[in-house]
Amino acid sequence: MEPLRVLELYSGIGGMHFALKDCGVAAQVVVAVDINTTANQIYQHNFPCTPLWSKSIEGIPLEDFNKLSIDAILMSPPCQPFTRLGLKRDVVDQRTKSFLYVLDLLPKLSSPPRYILLENVKGFEESCARNQLVKILTECGYHFKEMMVSPTSVGIPNSRLRYYLMARRSEEGLSADTHSKILETFPVHDDKDVLEQSAALCPRHTETGDGPECAQFLYKLETRAEQQRKQQQNSDQSITQIQDFLDPDVDLNLEQYLLLPKTLLRYAPILDIVHPTSRRSICFTKGYGRYVEGTGSVLQSSTEAETESVFRGLEEHSEEERLRRLQTLQLRYFTPREVANLMGFPQGFAFPDDVPVKQRYKVLGNSLNVVVVSKLLRILLSEEHLGR
Ligand SMILES: C[S@@+](CC[C@H](N)C(=O)[O-])C[C@H]1O[C@@H](n2cnc3c(N)ncnc32)[C@H](O)[C@@H]1O
Ligand SMILES: *[C@@H]1O[C@H](CO)[C@@H](O)[C@H](O)[C@H]1NC(C)=O
């Protein structure tokens, strides 16, 4: 059989491409498209043989897409217009323009793709852009399934609840009841994750630099309910421990990843601290390493120090003593490699040497969980799973 011809739109650092390689279906990315030069540099580094169009999607004429004879489109359009706590400008947001262009093209393609996979943030499901997508897919004779999935449902200790739409064009035209059969097995995740994500999706951008003065140092800002939820997550044996995702070489440049004193003093109570034995971490966003609140978990690398006893009564001490105590925890950021591990990127994935650490966090924060998408692709692309 000929490999499937895949078009990867909004390709970023190639999360979709890695998932496609992993899913075991014979396929080839015939073209990837993205406007961001940093992301494109990383994409090319990892997929030097894949043609990459470094331009805006809305500037590519229909004929150019027709020439590709595409079997599948994989895409993760920009999500800022849809984030729940953002402005939600939806279809009037400039960043949605290219997606509306893609929707406009779909019925006009000389041979519409048989498969489509779309990834986006939670919030997309209630957008006009989603309604428009569904309308066009229906008109074009696609069957589709929408879902919300987090990596925790594939055993990865990281929350990243995302919206997915998988569509398949029916050979025999529309038949009303088949679209729900594309997928029934993948679990829709429960509310625990939703709660955690709502904080992570819209960080309040607490700058680690010279932000506004923090009025008062508080005891670890965590409610009993949150604490219990975390304990529950940490005892879920179906999820792998954080230590399996850590980079053994990190000690060589540990200094670089340790939290700075001013960050510790100011923000310790709002950090989401995990341990090597934890089975959870919050979503890593593009502000990781730059902003503190809700941008991703930090790791306690000291195994001797006890988190709770360090925090107990901490506010009663002098600044110097608080810092000394906090430093015994050896709190550090996950390295970009470790974030990539938690996002399911394979060991073969690499950054070009000249991409700064903060840019690495940024592009990873925009990307997706490769293991989750691989599993979805396996279901979407392999016939026996299609449930008919
Ligand atoms: C959510 S990220 C996708 C990330 C990708 N799935 C990955 O694994 O890295 C959205 C991407 O769309 C790109 N983008 C946004 N608007 C675009 C446009 N009009 N044309 C082409 N690319 C665009 C951004 O540069 C960004 O890399
Ligand atoms: C590309 O994306 C990075 C990370 O999200 C961002 O910092 C940078 O400004 C973008 N560059 C361009 C040319 O859009």
Side-chain angles (χ1 to χ4, degrees), residues 147-174:
M147 37 181 14
M148 293 287 178
V149 190
S150 182
T152 50
S153 59
V154 294
I156 295 178
N158 182 232
S159 298
R160 194 178 187 87
L161 189 66
R162 288 293 181 268
Y163 167 92
Y164 297 95
L165 182 141
M166 300 191 291
R168 185 181 178 231
R169 210 155 59 88
S170 158
E171 301 289 72
E172 56 274 23
L174 252 186

PDB file of all heavy atoms in Angstrom, residues 147-174:
ATOM      1  N   MET A 147     -13.230  14.896  21.297  1.00  0.00           N
ATOM      2  CA  MET A 147     -12.946  14.426  22.665  1.00  0.00           C
ATOM      3  C   MET A 147     -12.001  15.355  23.419  1.00  0.00           C
ATOM      4  O   MET A 147     -11.314  16.178  22.848  1.00  0.00           O
ATOM      5  CB  MET A 147     -12.360  13.025  22.633  1.00  0.00           C
ATOM      6  CG  MET A 147     -11.440  12.784  21.481  1.00  0.00           C
ATOM      7  SD  MET A 147     -10.776  11.135  21.413  1.00  0.00           S
ATOM      8  CE  MET A 147     -11.779  10.300  22.527  1.00  0.00           C
ATOM      9  N   MET A 148     -12.019  15.161  24.722  1.00  0.00           N
ATOM     10  CA  MET A 148     -11.112  15.893  25.606  1.00  0.00           C
ATOM     11  C   MET A 148     -10.231  14.843  26.264  1.00  0.00           C
ATOM     12  O   MET A 148     -10.744  13.936  26.938  1.00  0.00           O
ATOM     13  CB  MET A 148     -11.887  16.562  26.740  1.00  0.00           C
ATOM     14  CG  MET A 148     -12.789  17.639  26.295  1.00  0.00           C
ATOM     15  SD  MET A 148     -11.847  19.096  25.832  1.00  0.00           S
ATOM     16  CE  MET A 148     -13.228  20.081  25.335  1.00  0.00           C
ATOM     17  N   VAL A 149      -8.942  14.935  26.054  1.00  0.00           N
ATOM     18  CA  VAL A 149      -8.046  13.939  26.620  1.00  0.00           C
ATOM     19  C   VAL A 149      -6.823  14.608  27.246  1.00  0.00           C
ATOM     20  O   VAL A 149      -6.324  15.613  26.746  1.00  0.00           O
ATOM     21  CB  VAL A 149      -7.566  12.929  25.547  1.00  0.00           C
ATOM     22  CG1 VAL A 149      -6.833  11.767  26.190  1.00  0.00           C
ATOM     23  CG2 VAL A 149      -8.712  12.408  24.710  1.00  0.00           C
ATOM     24  N   SER A 150      -6.344  14.014  28.325  1.00  0.00           N
ATOM     25  CA  SER A 150      -5.129  14.483  28.979  1.00  0.00           C
ATOM     26  C   SER A 150      -4.115  13.334  28.975  1.00  0.00           C
ATOM     27  O   SER A 150      -4.507  12.167  28.988  1.00  0.00           O
ATOM     28  CB  SER A 150      -5.473  14.889  30.409  1.00  0.00           C
ATOM     29  OG  SER A 150      -4.328  15.383  31.051  1.00  0.00           O
ATOM     30  N   PRO A 151      -2.823  13.636  28.972  1.00  0.00           N
ATOM     31  CA  PRO A 151      -1.808  12.570  28.975  1.00  0.00           C
ATOM     32  C   PRO A 151      -1.940  11.604  30.154  1.00  0.00           C
ATOM     33  O   PRO A 151      -1.436  10.481  30.093  1.00  0.00           O
ATOM     34  CB  PRO A 151      -0.487  13.333  29.061  1.00  0.00           C
ATOM     35  CG  PRO A 151      -0.790  14.697  28.549  1.00  0.00           C
ATOM     36  CD  PRO A 151      -2.214  14.976  28.885  1.00  0.00           C
ATOM     37  N   THR A 152      -2.577  12.036  31.231  1.00  0.00           N
ATOM     38  CA  THR A 152      -2.750  11.131  32.368  1.00  0.00           C
ATOM     39  C   THR A 152      -3.526   9.885  31.945  1.00  0.00           C
ATOM     40  O   THR A 152      -3.343   8.827  32.535  1.00  0.00           O
ATOM     41  CB  THR A 152      -3.491  11.825  33.526  1.00  0.00           C
ATOM     42  OG1 THR A 152      -4.665  12.449  33.006  1.00  0.00           O
ATOM     43  CG2 THR A 152      -2.622  12.875  34.175  1.00  0.00           C
ATOM     44  N   SER A 153      -4.347  10.008  30.906  1.00  0.00           N
ATOM     45  CA  SER A 153      -5.121   8.843  30.481  1.00  0.00           C
ATOM     46  C   SER A 153      -4.279   7.837  29.701  1.00  0.00           C
ATOM     47  O   SER A 153      -4.745   6.750  29.378  1.00  0.00           O
ATOM     48  CB  SER A 153      -6.351   9.264  29.683  1.00  0.00           C
ATOM     49  OG  SER A 153      -5.941   9.985  28.569  1.00  0.00           O
ATOM     50  N   VAL A 154      -3.020   8.190  29.360  1.00  0.00           N
ATOM     51  CA  VAL A 154      -2.118   7.193  28.786  1.00  0.00           C
ATOM     52  C   VAL A 154      -0.957   6.903  29.743  1.00  0.00           C
ATOM     53  O   VAL A 154       0.107   6.442  29.334  1.00  0.00           O
ATOM     54  CB  VAL A 154      -1.587   7.599  27.386  1.00  0.00           C
ATOM     55  CG1 VAL A 154      -2.704   7.632  26.364  1.00  0.00           C
ATOM     56  CG2 VAL A 154      -0.876   8.946  27.424  1.00  0.00           C
ATOM     57  N   GLY A 155      -1.162   7.238  31.016  1.00  0.00           N
ATOM     58  CA  GLY A 155      -0.187   6.883  32.044  1.00  0.00           C
ATOM     59  C   GLY A 155       0.969   7.860  32.235  1.00  0.00           C
ATOM     60  O   GLY A 155       1.929   7.554  32.930  1.00  0.00           O
ATOM     61  N   ILE A 156       0.872   9.020  31.617  1.00  0.00           N
ATOM     62  CA  ILE A 156       1.950  10.015  31.744  1.00  0.00           C
ATOM     63  C   ILE A 156       1.594  11.004  32.863  1.00  0.00           C
ATOM     64  O   ILE A 156       0.479  11.517  32.892  1.00  0.00           O
ATOM     65  CB  ILE A 156       2.160  10.756  30.403  1.00  0.00           C
ATOM     66  CG1 ILE A 156       2.655   9.770  29.343  1.00  0.00           C
ATOM     67  CG2 ILE A 156       3.138  11.918  30.573  1.00  0.00           C
ATOM     68  CD1 ILE A 156       2.857  10.370  27.971  1.00  0.00           C
ATOM     69  N   PRO A 157       2.555  11.247  33.781  1.00  0.00           N
ATOM     70  CA  PRO A 157       2.242  12.094  34.939  1.00  0.00           C
ATOM     71  C   PRO A 157       2.236  13.583  34.612  1.00  0.00           C
ATOM     72  O   PRO A 157       2.973  14.362  35.199  1.00  0.00           O
ATOM     73  CB  PRO A 157       3.368  11.758  35.924  1.00  0.00           C
ATOM     74  CG  PRO A 157       4.523  11.404  35.037  1.00  0.00           C
ATOM     75  CD  PRO A 157       3.933  10.721  33.830  1.00  0.00           C
ATOM     76  N   ASN A 158       1.447  13.984  33.644  1.00  0.00           N
ATOM     77  CA  ASN A 158       1.363  15.391  33.261  1.00  0.00           C
ATOM     78  C   ASN A 158      -0.050  15.701  32.770  1.00  0.00           C
ATOM     79  O   ASN A 158      -0.633  14.923  32.020  1.00  0.00           O
ATOM     80  CB  ASN A 158       2.389  15.683  32.155  1.00  0.00           C
ATOM     81  CG  ASN A 158       2.404  17.147  31.726  1.00  0.00           C
ATOM     82  OD1 ASN A 158       2.303  17.467  30.543  1.00  0.00           O
ATOM     83  ND2 ASN A 158       2.536  18.034  32.680  1.00  0.00           N
ATOM     84  N   SER A 159      -0.572  16.815  33.244  1.00  0.00           N
ATOM     85  CA  SER A 159      -1.907  17.235  32.820  1.00  0.00           C
ATOM     86  C   SER A 159      -1.804  18.161  31.632  1.00  0.00           C
ATOM     87  O   SER A 159      -1.009  19.100  31.644  1.00  0.00           O
ATOM     88  CB  SER A 159      -2.606  17.989  33.948  1.00  0.00           C
ATOM     89  OG  SER A 159      -2.749  17.141  35.044  1.00  0.00           O
ATOM     90  N   ARG A 160      -2.554  17.893  30.651  1.00  0.00           N
ATOM     91  CA  ARG A 160      -2.610  18.764  29.480  1.00  0.00           C
ATOM     92  C   ARG A 160      -3.903  18.431  28.756  1.00  0.00           C
ATOM     93  O   ARG A 160      -3.917  17.741  27.739  1.00  0.00           O
ATOM     94  CB  ARG A 160      -1.389  18.492  28.579  1.00  0.00           C
ATOM     95  CG  ARG A 160      -1.166  19.544  27.518  1.00  0.00           C
ATOM     96  CD  ARG A 160       0.070  19.266  26.679  1.00  0.00           C
ATOM     97  NE  ARG A 160       0.341  20.377  25.795  1.00  0.00           N
ATOM     98  CZ  ARG A 160       1.062  21.450  26.135  1.00  0.00           C
ATOM     99  NH1 ARG A 160       1.605  21.539  27.307  1.00  0.00           N
ATOM    100  NH2 ARG A 160       1.227  22.427  25.272  1.00  0.00           N
ATOM    101  N   LEU A 161      -4.975  18.874  29.336  1.00  0.00           N
ATOM    102  CA  LEU A 161      -6.285  18.547  28.780  1.00  0.00           C
ATOM    103  C   LEU A 161      -6.480  19.299  27.473  1.00  0.00           C
ATOM    104  O   LEU A 161      -6.362  20.514  27.437  1.00  0.00           O
ATOM    105  CB  LEU A 161      -7.378  18.943  29.776  1.00  0.00           C
ATOM    106  CG  LEU A 161      -8.788  18.481  29.427  1.00  0.00           C
ATOM    107  CD1 LEU A 161      -8.887  16.963  29.487  1.00  0.00           C
ATOM    108  CD2 LEU A 161      -9.816  19.118  30.345  1.00  0.00           C
ATOM    109  N   ARG A 162      -6.742  18.563  26.409  1.00  0.00           N
ATOM    110  CA  ARG A 162      -6.884  19.185  25.105  1.00  0.00           C
ATOM    111  C   ARG A 162      -8.103  18.654  24.366  1.00  0.00           C
ATOM    112  O   ARG A 162      -8.575  17.543  24.596  1.00  0.00           O
ATOM    113  CB  ARG A 162      -5.642  18.925  24.236  1.00  0.00           C
ATOM    114  CG  ARG A 162      -4.400  19.696  24.680  1.00  0.00           C
ATOM    115  CD  ARG A 162      -4.579  21.193  24.465  1.00  0.00           C
ATOM    116  NE  ARG A 162      -3.418  21.974  24.848  1.00  0.00           N
ATOM    117  CZ  ARG A 162      -3.223  22.527  26.051  1.00  0.00           C
ATOM    118  NH1 ARG A 162      -4.127  22.341  27.014  1.00  0.00           N
ATOM    119  NH2 ARG A 162      -2.155  23.248  26.285  1.00  0.00           N
ATOM    120  N   TYR A 163      -8.564  19.494  23.443  1.00  0.00           N
ATOM    121  CA  TYR A 163      -9.680  19.130  22.566  1.00  0.00           C
ATOM    122  C   TYR A 163      -9.113  18.481  21.308  1.00  0.00           C
ATOM    123  O   TYR A 163      -8.127  18.974  20.747  1.00  0.00           O
ATOM    124  CB  TYR A 163     -10.438  20.409  22.194  1.00  0.00           C
ATOM    125  CG  TYR A 163     -11.425  20.255  21.059  1.00  0.00           C
ATOM    126  CD1 TYR A 163     -12.752  19.950  21.318  1.00  0.00           C
ATOM    127  CD2 TYR A 163     -11.027  20.438  19.726  1.00  0.00           C
ATOM    128  CE1 TYR A 163     -13.667  19.818  20.280  1.00  0.00           C
ATOM    129  CE2 TYR A 163     -11.934  20.301  18.687  1.00  0.00           C
ATOM    130  CZ  TYR A 163     -13.246  19.999  18.966  1.00  0.00           C
ATOM    131  OH  TYR A 163     -14.148  19.864  17.935  1.00  0.00           O
ATOM    132  N   TYR A 164      -9.721  17.386  20.900  1.00  0.00           N
ATOM    133  CA  TYR A 164      -9.324  16.741  19.642  1.00  0.00           C
ATOM    134  C   TYR A 164     -10.549  16.470  18.796  1.00  0.00           C
ATOM    135  O   TYR A 164     -11.595  16.079  19.313  1.00  0.00           O
ATOM    136  CB  TYR A 164      -8.626  15.394  19.910  1.00  0.00           C
ATOM    137  CG  TYR A 164      -7.349  15.546  20.682  1.00  0.00           C
ATOM    138  CD1 TYR A 164      -7.346  15.413  22.066  1.00  0.00           C
ATOM    139  CD2 TYR A 164      -6.148  15.841  20.036  1.00  0.00           C
ATOM    140  CE1 TYR A 164      -6.172  15.573  22.797  1.00  0.00           C
ATOM    141  CE2 TYR A 164      -4.973  15.999  20.763  1.00  0.00           C
ATOM    142  CZ  TYR A 164      -4.991  15.866  22.129  1.00  0.00           C
ATOM    143  OH  TYR A 164      -3.832  16.034  22.842  1.00  0.00           O
ATOM    144  N   LEU A 165     -10.398  16.691  17.518  1.00  0.00           N
ATOM    145  CA  LEU A 165     -11.456  16.279  16.599  1.00  0.00           C
ATOM    146  C   LEU A 165     -10.835  15.372  15.552  1.00  0.00           C
ATOM    147  O   LEU A 165      -9.810  15.710  14.950  1.00  0.00           O
ATOM    148  CB  LEU A 165     -12.111  17.484  15.923  1.00  0.00           C
ATOM    149  CG  LEU A 165     -13.262  17.117  14.980  1.00  0.00           C
ATOM    150  CD1 LEU A 165     -14.404  18.114  15.089  1.00  0.00           C
ATOM    151  CD2 LEU A 165     -12.784  17.018  13.531  1.00  0.00           C
ATOM    152  N   MET A 166     -11.417  14.199  15.415  1.00  0.00           N
ATOM    153  CA  MET A 166     -10.939  13.263  14.403  1.00  0.00           C
ATOM    154  C   MET A 166     -12.048  13.091  13.387  1.00  0.00           C
ATOM    155  O   MET A 166     -13.182  12.810  13.764  1.00  0.00           O
ATOM    156  CB  MET A 166     -10.653  11.907  15.036  1.00  0.00           C
ATOM    157  CG  MET A 166      -9.596  11.996  16.110  1.00  0.00           C
ATOM    158  SD  MET A 166      -9.049  10.372  16.601  1.00  0.00           S
ATOM    159  CE  MET A 166     -10.489   9.807  17.408  1.00  0.00           C
ATOM    160  N   ALA A 167     -11.727  13.301  12.119  1.00  0.00           N
ATOM    161  CA  ALA A 167     -12.761  13.197  11.101  1.00  0.00           C
ATOM    162  C   ALA A 167     -12.320  12.242  10.009  1.00  0.00           C
ATOM    163  O   ALA A 167     -11.138  12.160   9.669  1.00  0.00           O
ATOM    164  CB  ALA A 167     -13.049  14.576  10.510  1.00  0.00           C
ATOM    165  N   ARG A 168     -13.291  11.540   9.469  1.00  0.00           N
ATOM    166  CA  ARG A 168     -13.012  10.592   8.400  1.00  0.00           C
ATOM    167  C   ARG A 168     -14.106  10.743   7.359  1.00  0.00           C
ATOM    168  O   ARG A 168     -15.289  10.771   7.695  1.00  0.00           O
ATOM    169  CB  ARG A 168     -13.027   9.187   8.982  1.00  0.00           C
ATOM    170  CG  ARG A 168     -12.643   8.135   7.990  1.00  0.00           C
ATOM    171  CD  ARG A 168     -12.709   6.787   8.661  1.00  0.00           C
ATOM    172  NE  ARG A 168     -12.376   5.757   7.702  1.00  0.00           N
ATOM    173  CZ  ARG A 168     -13.116   4.687   7.493  1.00  0.00           C
ATOM    174  NH1 ARG A 168     -14.221   4.502   8.195  1.00  0.00           N
ATOM    175  NH2 ARG A 168     -12.755   3.801   6.599  1.00  0.00           N
ATOM    176  N   ARG A 169     -13.678  10.844   6.123  1.00  0.00           N
ATOM    177  CA  ARG A 169     -14.655  11.006   5.060  1.00  0.00           C
ATOM    178  C   ARG A 169     -15.228   9.650   4.704  1.00  0.00           C
ATOM    179  O   ARG A 169     -14.497   8.689   4.490  1.00  0.00           O
ATOM    180  CB  ARG A 169     -14.018  11.626   3.827  1.00  0.00           C
ATOM    181  CG  ARG A 169     -14.987  12.451   3.014  1.00  0.00           C
ATOM    182  CD  ARG A 169     -14.238  13.487   2.211  1.00  0.00           C
ATOM    183  NE  ARG A 169     -13.296  12.841   1.324  1.00  0.00           N
ATOM    184  CZ  ARG A 169     -13.605  12.431   0.092  1.00  0.00           C
ATOM    185  NH1 ARG A 169     -14.814  12.609  -0.401  1.00  0.00           N
ATOM    186  NH2 ARG A 169     -12.690  11.848  -0.659  1.00  0.00           N
ATOM    187  N   SER A 170     -16.519   9.608   4.679  1.00  0.00           N
ATOM    188  CA  SER A 170     -17.186   8.340   4.403  1.00  0.00           C
ATOM    189  C   SER A 170     -17.214   8.100   2.903  1.00  0.00           C
ATOM    190  O   SER A 170     -17.489   8.998   2.121  1.00  0.00           O
ATOM    191  CB  SER A 170     -18.596   8.407   4.959  1.00  0.00           C
ATOM    192  OG  SER A 170     -19.391   7.474   4.305  1.00  0.00           O
ATOM    193  N   GLU A 171     -16.914   6.871   2.520  1.00  0.00           N
ATOM    194  CA  GLU A 171     -16.938   6.521   1.099  1.00  0.00           C
ATOM    195  C   GLU A 171     -18.357   6.534   0.566  1.00  0.00           C
ATOM    196  O   GLU A 171     -18.635   6.992  -0.516  1.00  0.00           O
ATOM    197  CB  GLU A 171     -16.355   5.120   0.881  1.00  0.00           C
ATOM    198  CG  GLU A 171     -14.953   4.964   1.354  1.00  0.00           C
ATOM    199  CD  GLU A 171     -13.955   5.709   0.485  1.00  0.00           C
ATOM    200  OE1 GLU A 171     -13.900   6.955   0.533  1.00  0.00           O
ATOM    201  OE2 GLU A 171     -13.233   5.036  -0.238  1.00  0.00           O
ATOM    202  N   GLU A 172     -19.234   6.042   1.415  1.00  0.00           N
ATOM    203  CA  GLU A 172     -20.605   5.880   0.932  1.00  0.00           C
ATOM    204  C   GLU A 172     -21.515   7.051   1.328  1.00  0.00           C
ATOM    205  O   GLU A 172     -22.712   6.922   1.421  1.00  0.00           O
ATOM    206  CB  GLU A 172     -21.192   4.532   1.399  1.00  0.00           C
ATOM    207  CG  GLU A 172     -21.184   4.294   2.887  1.00  0.00           C
ATOM    208  CD  GLU A 172     -19.874   3.695   3.385  1.00  0.00           C
ATOM    209  OE1 GLU A 172     -18.825   3.837   2.731  1.00  0.00           O
ATOM    210  OE2 GLU A 172     -19.903   3.073   4.453  1.00  0.00           O
ATOM    211  N   GLY A 173     -20.883   8.189   1.602  1.00  0.00           N
ATOM    212  CA  GLY A 173     -21.683   9.380   1.901  1.00  0.00           C
ATOM    213  C   GLY A 173     -22.130   9.414   3.337  1.00  0.00           C
ATOM    214  O   GLY A 173     -21.740   8.583   4.144  1.00  0.00           O
ATOM    215  N   LEU A 174     -22.928  10.382   3.609  1.00  0.00           N
ATOM    216  CA  LEU A 174     -23.339  10.590   4.998  1.00  0.00           C
ATOM    217  C   LEU A 174     -24.335   9.558   5.488  1.00  0.00           C
ATOM    218  O   LEU A 174     -25.304   9.249   4.836  1.00  0.00           O
ATOM    219  CB  LEU A 174     -23.998  11.955   5.126  1.00  0.00           C
ATOM    220  CG  LEU A 174     -23.206  13.017   5.847  1.00  0.00           C
ATOM    221  CD1 LEU A 174     -24.045  14.252   6.004  1.00  0.00           C
ATOM    222  CD2 LEU A 174     -22.743  12.512   7.189  1.00  0.00           C
TER     223      LEU A 174
END
